[in-house]
Amino acid sequence: MTDTAPELTVPSYDRARLLAWMADNAITQTTHDHPAVFRVEEGLELKADLPGLHTKNLFLKDKKGRLWLISAAQDTVIDLKRAHRTLGSDRLSFGNEVLMWETLGVRPGSVTALGLINDGDRRVTFVLDQRLWDADIVNFHPLTNTATTALSQADFRRLLSLLDRAPLVVDFDALD
């Protein structure tokens, strides 16, 4: 008998299905293709030409096994050693690739709030930076790090409403 990794199920939504779902639900978006971006610093030149607030997204797990997705402005400082108290969780660490794929349907480097469309079991608590909640336009990867999707705040909130996801809005800049 050989040990093999369990086969992971394919998420319900990929980029094409996500964008089609948005169109079917009258969510206006603009998607720009670009080379793969794995870290915020890598995409700064690309983002300079795209309007709106750009994001960083952290997929986290606490000691009790609860999963968290923090979406923040790309330059927001998130101190994980302090943030857990604000979120009402235990200490936070990065979630692994298997959990990321199972819940959000994305790979490392492609973590995005738009992945919540794949979290039908609502395992992930969504935390949103106050700056993103207030921004006119927000930019996220459309389930792949080879593109950026821009949404007006109204369309982003409509998307969250359709997914029945109310974010925990946190002002990370104001944390003591």
Side-chain angles (χ1 to χ4, degrees):
M1 177 183 269
T2 61
D3 289 330
T4 58
E7 190 170 322
L8 298 176
T9 59
V10 176
S12 298
Y13 286 86
D14 59 9
R15 173 190 166 160
R17 279 198 69 208
L18 169 70
L19 296 180
W21 178 86
M22 286 185 195
D24 290 346
N25 285 283
I27 296 172
T28 303
Q29 55 79 27
T30 303
T31 297
H32 303 275
D33 292 307
H34 52 69
V37 176
F38 292 92
R39 293 187 346 245
V40 169
E41 301 80 29
E42 294 175 13
L44 294 178
E45 294 168 9
L46 297 167
K47 296 172 188 175
D49 294 332
L50 304 176
L53 202 53
H54 295 274
T55 60
K56 65 179 169 188
N57 298 273
L58 307 176
F59 179 70
L60 306 165
K61 181 178 177 181
D62 71 16
K63 288 189 177 197
K64 290 184 179 177
R66 293 183 299 174
L67 303 177
W68 304 84
L69 172 62
I70 298 177
S71 292
Q74 70 182 2
D75 59 346
T76 296
V77 175
I78 300 173
D79 181 352
L80 294 182
K81 292 179 182 176
R82 294 184 350 197
H84 71 94
R85 290 188 297 265
T86 300
L87 304 180
S89 74
D90 286 330
R91 295 262 180 203
L92 297 163
S93 61
F94 288 95
N96 68 44
E97 184 175 354
V98 171
L99 278 173
M100 187 183 303
W101 181 254
E102 288 175 355
T103 56
L104 301 177
V106 296
R107 302 283 184 203
S110 298
V111 178
T112 173
L114 302 180
L116 293 169
I117 196 166
N118 285 318
D119 185 25
D121 293 335
R122 302 175 143 321
R123 293 174 59 195
V124 178
T125 299
F126 182 44
V127 180
L128 187 67
D129 183 0
Q130 181 73 52
R131 290 176 58 204
L132 290 180
W133 187 248
D134 295 338
D136 292 334
I137 297 172
V138 292
N139 292 280
F140 293 98
H141 287 311
L143 308 180
T144 178
N145 64 352
T146 58
T148 296
T149 297
L151 298 162
S152 70
Q153 187 59 236
D155 282 308
F156 179 54
R157 290 185 186 190
R158 177 165 166 65
L159 179 142
L160 292 176
S161 177
L162 289 168
L163 297 177
D164 196 24
R165 300 301 291 252
L168 172 59
V169 179
V170 174
D171 184 351
F172 288 99
D173 292 333
L175 294 184
D176 337 335

